[in-house]
mmCIF file of all heavy atoms in Angstrom:
data_model
loop_
_atom_site.group_PDB
_atom_site.id
_atom_site.type_symbol
_atom_site.label_atom_id
_atom_site.label_comp_id
_atom_site.label_asym_id
_atom_site.label_seq_id
_atom_site.Cartn_x
_atom_site.Cartn_y
_atom_site.Cartn_z
ATOM 1 N N GLU A 312 -48.169 -32.998 33.879
ATOM 2 C CA GLU A 312 -46.742 -32.695 34.002
ATOM 3 C C GLU A 312 -46.443 -31.476 33.134
ATOM 4 O O GLU A 312 -46.601 -31.510 31.915
ATOM 5 C CB GLU A 312 -45.906 -33.899 33.557
ATOM 6 C CG GLU A 312 -44.498 -33.932 34.146
ATOM 7 C CD GLU A 312 -43.590 -32.856 33.563
ATOM 8 O OE1 GLU A 312 -43.356 -32.872 32.342
ATOM 9 O OE2 GLU A 312 -43.130 -31.984 34.340
ATOM 10 N N VAL A 313 -45.982 -30.354 33.770
ATOM 11 C CA VAL A 313 -45.874 -29.073 33.072
ATOM 12 C C VAL A 313 -44.475 -28.461 33.175
ATOM 13 O O VAL A 313 -44.327 -27.261 32.957
ATOM 14 C CB VAL A 313 -46.916 -28.069 33.635
ATOM 15 C CG1 VAL A 313 -48.325 -28.542 33.338
ATOM 16 C CG2 VAL A 313 -46.710 -27.848 35.133
ATOM 17 N N SER A 314 -43.465 -29.243 33.478
ATOM 18 C CA SER A 314 -42.135 -28.670 33.722
ATOM 19 C C SER A 314 -41.627 -27.865 32.525
ATOM 20 O O SER A 314 -41.062 -26.772 32.697
ATOM 21 C CB SER A 314 -41.134 -29.780 34.082
ATOM 22 O OG SER A 314 -41.060 -30.751 33.057
ATOM 23 N N GLU A 315 -41.833 -28.350 31.320
ATOM 24 C CA GLU A 315 -41.364 -27.638 30.130
ATOM 25 C C GLU A 315 -42.128 -26.336 29.925
ATOM 26 O O GLU A 315 -41.540 -25.279 29.680
ATOM 27 C CB GLU A 315 -41.508 -28.528 28.892
ATOM 28 C CG GLU A 315 -40.540 -29.694 28.818
ATOM 29 C CD GLU A 315 -39.150 -29.270 28.357
ATOM 30 O OE1 GLU A 315 -38.969 -28.089 28.019
ATOM 31 O OE2 GLU A 315 -38.254 -30.131 28.358
ATOM 32 N N SER A 316 -43.414 -26.394 30.042
ATOM 33 C CA SER A 316 -44.238 -25.235 29.701
ATOM 34 C C SER A 316 -44.130 -24.100 30.706
ATOM 35 O O SER A 316 -44.340 -22.930 30.356
ATOM 36 C CB SER A 316 -45.709 -25.654 29.554
ATOM 37 O OG SER A 316 -46.207 -26.184 30.771
ATOM 38 N N VAL A 317 -43.760 -24.395 31.973
ATOM 39 C CA VAL A 317 -43.679 -23.318 32.968
ATOM 40 C C VAL A 317 -42.243 -22.933 33.295
ATOM 41 O O VAL A 317 -42.015 -22.052 34.130
ATOM 42 C CB VAL A 317 -44.436 -23.692 34.265
ATOM 43 C CG1 VAL A 317 -45.892 -24.003 33.964
ATOM 44 C CG2 VAL A 317 -43.757 -24.838 34.995
ATOM 45 N N GLY A 318 -41.261 -23.595 32.644
ATOM 46 C CA GLY A 318 -39.881 -23.151 32.776
ATOM 47 C C GLY A 318 -39.075 -23.753 33.904
ATOM 48 O O GLY A 318 -38.087 -23.153 34.344
ATOM 49 N N VAL A 319 -39.454 -24.946 34.363
ATOM 50 C CA VAL A 319 -38.666 -25.573 35.429
ATOM 51 C C VAL A 319 -37.963 -26.845 34.967
ATOM 52 O O VAL A 319 -37.295 -27.508 35.766
ATOM 53 C CB VAL A 319 -39.537 -25.887 36.669
ATOM 54 C CG1 VAL A 319 -40.124 -24.614 37.242
ATOM 55 C CG2 VAL A 319 -40.626 -26.906 36.345
ATOM 56 N N ALA A 320 -38.104 -27.210 33.701
ATOM 57 C CA ALA A 320 -37.433 -28.415 33.196
ATOM 58 C C ALA A 320 -35.932 -28.214 33.281
ATOM 59 O O ALA A 320 -35.386 -27.229 32.791
ATOM 60 C CB ALA A 320 -37.850 -28.688 31.756
ATOM 61 N N ASP A 321 -35.254 -29.154 33.915
ATOM 62 C CA ASP A 321 -33.826 -28.988 34.152
ATOM 63 C C ASP A 321 -33.213 -30.352 34.407
ATOM 64 O O ASP A 321 -33.833 -31.218 35.027
ATOM 65 C CB ASP A 321 -33.605 -28.067 35.360
ATOM 66 C CG ASP A 321 -32.138 -27.808 35.625
ATOM 67 O OD1 ASP A 321 -31.484 -27.202 34.765
ATOM 68 O OD2 ASP A 321 -31.647 -28.228 36.685
ATOM 69 N N CYS A 322 -31.997 -30.537 33.916
ATOM 70 C CA CYS A 322 -31.266 -31.791 34.165
ATOM 71 C C CYS A 322 -29.956 -31.459 34.850
ATOM 72 O O CYS A 322 -29.017 -30.986 34.216
ATOM 73 C CB CYS A 322 -31.020 -32.543 32.861
ATOM 74 S SG CYS A 322 -30.113 -34.106 33.085
ATOM 75 N N ARG A 323 -29.904 -31.642 36.146
ATOM 76 C CA ARG A 323 -28.677 -31.500 36.921
ATOM 77 C C ARG A 323 -28.803 -32.393 38.144
ATOM 78 O O ARG A 323 -29.875 -32.921 38.419
ATOM 79 C CB ARG A 323 -28.414 -30.051 37.306
ATOM 80 C CG ARG A 323 -29.422 -29.426 38.246
ATOM 81 C CD ARG A 323 -29.095 -27.961 38.508
ATOM 82 N NE ARG A 323 -29.351 -27.155 37.339
ATOM 83 C CZ ARG A 323 -28.834 -25.931 37.147
ATOM 84 N NH1 ARG A 323 -28.050 -25.402 38.057
ATOM 85 N NH2 ARG A 323 -29.123 -25.240 36.062
ATOM 86 N N ASN A 324 -27.730 -32.561 38.876
ATOM 87 C CA ASN A 324 -27.737 -33.494 40.008
ATOM 88 C C ASN A 324 -28.465 -32.875 41.197
ATOM 89 O O ASN A 324 -27.860 -32.523 42.211
ATOM 90 C CB ASN A 324 -26.308 -33.871 40.388
ATOM 91 C CG ASN A 324 -25.552 -34.506 39.240
ATOM 92 O OD1 ASN A 324 -24.649 -33.912 38.669
ATOM 93 N ND2 ASN A 324 -25.925 -35.722 38.894
ATOM 94 N N GLY A 325 -29.777 -32.743 41.072
ATOM 95 C CA GLY A 325 -30.577 -32.151 42.136
ATOM 96 C C GLY A 325 -30.527 -32.966 43.412
ATOM 97 O O GLY A 325 -30.512 -34.197 43.381
ATOM 98 N N MET A 326 -30.507 -32.279 44.531
ATOM 99 C CA MET A 326 -30.412 -32.942 45.836
ATOM 100 C C MET A 326 -31.564 -32.507 46.747
ATOM 101 O O MET A 326 -32.567 -33.167 46.844
ATOM 102 C CB MET A 326 -29.058 -32.624 46.490
ATOM 103 C CG MET A 326 -27.864 -33.062 45.659
ATOM 104 S SD MET A 326 -27.668 -34.856 45.664
ATOM 105 C CE MET A 326 -26.763 -35.123 44.148
ATOM 106 N N GLY A 327 -31.433 -31.336 47.392
ATOM 107 C CA GLY A 327 -32.475 -30.861 48.287
ATOM 108 C C GLY A 327 -33.206 -29.669 47.707
ATOM 109 O O GLY A 327 -32.772 -29.055 46.729
ATOM 110 N N ILE A 328 -34.343 -29.317 48.310
ATOM 111 C CA ILE A 328 -35.148 -28.204 47.792
ATOM 112 C C ILE A 328 -35.696 -27.373 48.940
ATOM 113 O O ILE A 328 -35.978 -27.883 50.029
ATOM 114 C CB ILE A 328 -36.311 -28.720 46.914
ATOM 115 C CG1 ILE A 328 -37.061 -27.544 46.289
ATOM 116 C CG2 ILE A 328 -37.240 -29.613 47.709
ATOM 117 C CD1 ILE A 328 -38.066 -27.944 45.248
ATOM 118 N N ALA A 329 -35.803 -26.064 48.690
ATOM 119 C CA ALA A 329 -36.471 -25.147 49.609
ATOM 120 C C ALA A 329 -37.485 -24.343 48.810
ATOM 121 O O ALA A 329 -37.218 -23.936 47.680
ATOM 122 C CB ALA A 329 -35.459 -24.216 50.278
ATOM 123 N N VAL A 330 -38.653 -24.117 49.394
ATOM 124 C CA VAL A 330 -39.721 -23.372 48.745
ATOM 125 C C VAL A 330 -40.057 -22.164 49.603
ATOM 126 O O VAL A 330 -40.225 -22.273 50.821
ATOM 127 C CB VAL A 330 -40.979 -24.246 48.558
ATOM 128 C CG1 VAL A 330 -42.093 -23.447 47.897
ATOM 129 C CG2 VAL A 330 -40.658 -25.489 47.745
ATOM 130 N N GLY A 331 -40.147 -20.989 48.981
ATOM 131 C CA GLY A 331 -40.491 -19.791 49.732
ATOM 132 C C GLY A 331 -40.649 -18.599 48.808
ATOM 133 O O GLY A 331 -40.205 -18.615 47.665
ATOM 134 N N ASP A 332 -41.268 -17.563 49.320
ATOM 135 C CA ASP A 332 -41.480 -16.345 48.546
ATOM 136 C C ASP A 332 -40.363 -15.364 48.891
ATOM 137 O O ASP A 332 -40.542 -14.475 49.725
ATOM 138 C CB ASP A 332 -42.857 -15.761 48.879
ATOM 139 C CG ASP A 332 -43.162 -14.495 48.103
ATOM 140 O OD1 ASP A 332 -42.430 -14.192 47.137
ATOM 141 O OD2 ASP A 332 -44.134 -13.804 48.476
ATOM 142 N N TYR A 333 -39.201 -15.506 48.237
ATOM 143 C CA TYR A 333 -38.033 -14.727 48.646
ATOM 144 C C TYR A 333 -38.169 -13.242 48.332
ATOM 145 O O TYR A 333 -37.537 -12.402 48.994
ATOM 146 C CB TYR A 333 -36.757 -15.295 48.009
ATOM 147 C CG TYR A 333 -36.516 -14.914 46.572
ATOM 148 C CD1 TYR A 333 -35.814 -13.762 46.248
ATOM 149 C CD2 TYR A 333 -36.977 -15.715 45.528
ATOM 150 C CE1 TYR A 333 -35.584 -13.412 44.923
ATOM 151 C CE2 TYR A 333 -36.760 -15.370 44.207
ATOM 152 C CZ TYR A 333 -36.060 -14.221 43.906
ATOM 153 O OH TYR A 333 -35.836 -13.864 42.594
ATOM 154 N N ASP A 334 -38.972 -12.874 47.328
ATOM 155 C CA ASP A 334 -39.116 -11.457 46.972
ATOM 156 C C ASP A 334 -40.462 -10.874 47.404
ATOM 157 O O ASP A 334 -40.806 -9.743 47.037
ATOM 158 C CB ASP A 334 -38.928 -11.261 45.474
ATOM 159 C CG ASP A 334 -39.910 -12.093 44.648
ATOM 160 O OD1 ASP A 334 -40.599 -12.949 45.234
ATOM 161 O OD2 ASP A 334 -39.982 -11.882 43.430
ATOM 162 N N ARG A 335 -41.221 -11.641 48.169
ATOM 163 C CA ARG A 335 -42.478 -11.181 48.756
ATOM 164 C C ARG A 335 -43.479 -10.666 47.723
ATOM 165 O O ARG A 335 -44.173 -9.668 47.942
ATOM 166 C CB ARG A 335 -42.205 -10.097 49.810
ATOM 167 C CG ARG A 335 -41.319 -10.570 50.944
ATOM 168 C CD ARG A 335 -41.119 -9.491 51.988
ATOM 169 N NE ARG A 335 -40.218 -9.933 53.037
ATOM 170 C CZ ARG A 335 -39.854 -9.187 54.085
ATOM 171 N NH1 ARG A 335 -40.315 -7.957 54.203
ATOM 172 N NH2 ARG A 335 -39.029 -9.654 54.989
ATOM 173 N N ASP A 336 -43.580 -11.369 46.616
ATOM 174 C CA ASP A 336 -44.568 -10.995 45.605
ATOM 175 C C ASP A 336 -45.796 -11.895 45.664
ATOM 176 O O ASP A 336 -46.654 -11.851 44.785
ATOM 177 C CB ASP A 336 -43.954 -11.019 44.208
ATOM 178 C CG ASP A 336 -43.537 -12.418 43.764
ATOM 179 O OD1 ASP A 336 -43.573 -13.349 44.597
ATOM 180 O OD2 ASP A 336 -43.149 -12.579 42.587
ATOM 181 N N SER A 337 -45.863 -12.742 46.691
ATOM 182 C CA SER A 337 -46.962 -13.672 46.984
ATOM 183 C C SER A 337 -46.929 -14.946 46.142
ATOM 184 O O SER A 337 -47.815 -15.792 46.280
ATOM 185 C CB SER A 337 -48.340 -12.999 46.842
ATOM 186 O OG SER A 337 -48.765 -12.912 45.490
ATOM 187 N N TRP A 338 -45.894 -15.116 45.287
ATOM 188 C CA TRP A 338 -45.746 -16.340 44.492
ATOM 189 C C TRP A 338 -44.559 -17.142 45.029
ATOM 190 O O TRP A 338 -43.487 -16.585 45.255
ATOM 191 C CB TRP A 338 -45.536 -16.019 43.015
ATOM 192 C CG TRP A 338 -46.734 -15.395 42.366
ATOM 193 C CD1 TRP A 338 -47.040 -14.067 42.317
ATOM 194 C CD2 TRP A 338 -47.786 -16.086 41.707
ATOM 195 N NE1 TRP A 338 -48.230 -13.872 41.664
ATOM 196 C CE2 TRP A 338 -48.713 -15.107 41.266
ATOM 197 C CE3 TRP A 338 -48.046 -17.422 41.435
ATOM 198 C CZ2 TRP A 338 -49.876 -15.432 40.575
ATOM 199 C CZ3 TRP A 338 -49.208 -17.747 40.735
ATOM 200 C CH2 TRP A 338 -50.109 -16.761 40.315
ATOM 201 N N LEU A 339 -44.759 -18.443 45.220
ATOM 202 C CA LEU A 339 -43.723 -19.291 45.804
ATOM 203 C C LEU A 339 -42.636 -19.621 44.781
ATOM 204 O O LEU A 339 -42.925 -20.096 43.678
ATOM 205 C CB LEU A 339 -44.343 -20.576 46.350
ATOM 206 C CG LEU A 339 -45.258 -20.387 47.574
ATOM 207 C CD1 LEU A 339 -45.932 -21.692 47.940
ATOM 208 C CD2 LEU A 339 -44.471 -19.829 48.754
ATOM 209 N N ASP A 340 -41.403 -19.371 45.176
ATOM 210 C CA ASP A 340 -40.243 -19.633 44.329
ATOM 211 C C ASP A 340 -39.569 -20.932 44.769
ATOM 212 O O ASP A 340 -39.813 -21.447 45.864
ATOM 213 C CB ASP A 340 -39.263 -18.456 44.443
ATOM 214 C CG ASP A 340 -39.969 -17.116 44.277
ATOM 215 O OD1 ASP A 340 -40.511 -16.869 43.193
ATOM 216 O OD2 ASP A 340 -39.981 -16.332 45.251
ATOM 217 N N TYR A 341 -38.705 -21.461 43.885
ATOM 218 C CA TYR A 341 -38.006 -22.714 44.171
ATOM 219 C C TYR A 341 -36.498 -22.485 44.219
ATOM 220 O O TYR A 341 -35.937 -21.781 43.364
ATOM 221 C CB TYR A 341 -38.277 -23.755 43.078
ATOM 222 C CG TYR A 341 -39.703 -24.226 42.955
ATOM 223 C CD1 TYR A 341 -40.247 -24.531 41.711
ATOM 224 C CD2 TYR A 341 -40.510 -24.393 44.085
ATOM 225 C CE1 TYR A 341 -41.549 -24.986 41.583
ATOM 226 C CE2 TYR A 341 -41.819 -24.839 43.962
ATOM 227 C CZ TYR A 341 -42.339 -25.136 42.713
ATOM 228 O OH TYR A 341 -43.625 -25.583 42.596
ATOM 229 N N PHE A 342 -35.877 -23.085 45.206
ATOM 230 C CA PHE A 342 -34.409 -23.111 45.258
ATOM 231 C C PHE A 342 -34.002 -24.547 45.532
ATOM 232 O O PHE A 342 -34.475 -25.157 46.496
ATOM 233 C CB PHE A 342 -33.890 -22.198 46.370
ATOM 234 C CG PHE A 342 -32.380 -22.233 46.526
ATOM 235 C CD1 PHE A 342 -31.561 -21.448 45.728
ATOM 236 C CD2 PHE A 342 -31.784 -23.056 47.476
ATOM 237 C CE1 PHE A 342 -30.185 -21.477 45.867
ATOM 238 C CE2 PHE A 342 -30.413 -23.096 47.615
ATOM 239 C CZ PHE A 342 -29.606 -22.300 46.808
ATOM 240 N N TYR A 343 -33.157 -25.099 44.659
ATOM 241 C CA TYR A 343 -32.697 -26.448 44.967
ATOM 242 C C TYR A 343 -31.211 -26.600 44.700
ATOM 243 O O TYR A 343 -30.623 -25.947 43.852
ATOM 244 C CB TYR A 343 -33.517 -27.521 44.250
ATOM 245 C CG TYR A 343 -33.394 -27.630 42.760
ATOM 246 C CD1 TYR A 343 -32.437 -28.469 42.188
ATOM 247 C CD2 TYR A 343 -34.278 -26.974 41.915
ATOM 248 C CE1 TYR A 343 -32.348 -28.615 40.817
ATOM 249 C CE2 TYR A 343 -34.202 -27.122 40.548
ATOM 250 C CZ TYR A 343 -33.232 -27.940 40.008
ATOM 251 O OH TYR A 343 -33.149 -28.093 38.651
ATOM 252 N N THR A 344 -30.619 -27.485 45.509
ATOM 253 C CA THR A 344 -29.179 -27.680 45.480
ATOM 254 C C THR A 344 -28.795 -28.709 44.433
ATOM 255 O O THR A 344 -29.609 -29.500 43.965
ATOM 256 C CB THR A 344 -28.663 -28.124 46.854
ATOM 257 O OG1 THR A 344 -29.382 -29.297 47.270
ATOM 258 C CG2 THR A 344 -28.862 -27.026 47.889
ATOM 259 N N ASN A 345 -27.512 -28.677 44.117
ATOM 260 C CA ASN A 345 -26.957 -29.492 43.052
ATOM 261 C C ASN A 345 -25.530 -29.828 43.452
ATOM 262 O O ASN A 345 -24.947 -29.184 44.325
ATOM 263 C CB ASN A 345 -27.004 -28.684 41.745
ATOM 264 C CG ASN A 345 -26.332 -29.376 40.586
ATOM 265 O OD1 ASN A 345 -26.384 -30.595 40.470
ATOM 266 N ND2 ASN A 345 -25.677 -28.615 39.738
ATOM 267 N N ILE A 346 -24.919 -30.821 42.823
ATOM 268 C CA ILE A 346 -23.524 -31.132 43.110
ATOM 269 C C ILE A 346 -22.646 -29.927 42.785
ATOM 270 O O ILE A 346 -21.666 -29.651 43.473
ATOM 271 C CB ILE A 346 -23.078 -32.374 42.323
ATOM 272 C CG1 ILE A 346 -23.756 -33.627 42.920
ATOM 273 C CG2 ILE A 346 -21.566 -32.531 42.360
ATOM 274 C CD1 ILE A 346 -23.417 -34.899 42.205
ATOM 275 N N THR A 347 -23.002 -29.181 41.730
ATOM 276 C CA THR A 347 -22.278 -27.937 41.437
ATOM 277 C C THR A 347 -23.174 -26.766 41.810
ATOM 278 O O THR A 347 -23.600 -26.653 42.940
ATOM 279 C CB THR A 347 -21.842 -27.894 39.961
ATOM 280 O OG1 THR A 347 -22.992 -28.055 39.117
ATOM 281 C CG2 THR A 347 -20.845 -29.002 39.663
ATOM 282 N N SER A 348 -23.450 -25.860 40.877
ATOM 283 C CA SER A 348 -24.215 -24.674 41.210
ATOM 284 C C SER A 348 -25.673 -25.016 41.521
ATOM 285 O O SER A 348 -26.271 -25.865 40.868
ATOM 286 C CB SER A 348 -24.167 -23.682 40.037
ATOM 287 O OG SER A 348 -24.921 -22.535 40.325
ATOM 288 N N PRO A 349 -26.263 -24.336 42.520
ATOM 289 C CA PRO A 349 -27.687 -24.543 42.790
ATOM 290 C C PRO A 349 -28.535 -23.828 41.743
ATOM 291 O O PRO A 349 -28.009 -23.220 40.806
ATOM 292 C CB PRO A 349 -27.861 -23.908 44.172
ATOM 293 C CG PRO A 349 -26.850 -22.810 44.189
ATOM 294 C CD PRO A 349 -25.661 -23.345 43.412
ATOM 295 N N LEU A 350 -29.823 -23.880 41.919
ATOM 296 C CA LEU A 350 -30.734 -23.233 40.976
ATOM 297 C C LEU A 350 -31.802 -22.480 41.758
ATOM 298 O O LEU A 350 -32.453 -23.042 42.642
ATOM 299 C CB LEU A 350 -31.390 -24.272 40.065
ATOM 300 C CG LEU A 350 -32.172 -23.729 38.865
ATOM 301 C CD1 LEU A 350 -31.222 -23.081 37.863
ATOM 302 C CD2 LEU A 350 -32.955 -24.844 38.183
#
Side-chain angles (χ1 to χ4, degrees):
E312 203 289 299
V313 295
S314 58
E315 289 281 356
S316 61
V317 302
V319 299
D321 182 64
C322 180
R323 65 183 71 199
N324 301 109
M326 301 288 156
I328 185 171
V330 179
D332 181 13
Y333 79 89
D334 57 350
R335 301 182 183 180
D336 65 351
S337 80
W338 293 88
L339 292 174
D340 312 297
Y341 295 145
F342 177 84
Y343 69 90
T344 55
N345 174 35
I346 289 179
T347 56
S348 179
L350 191 68

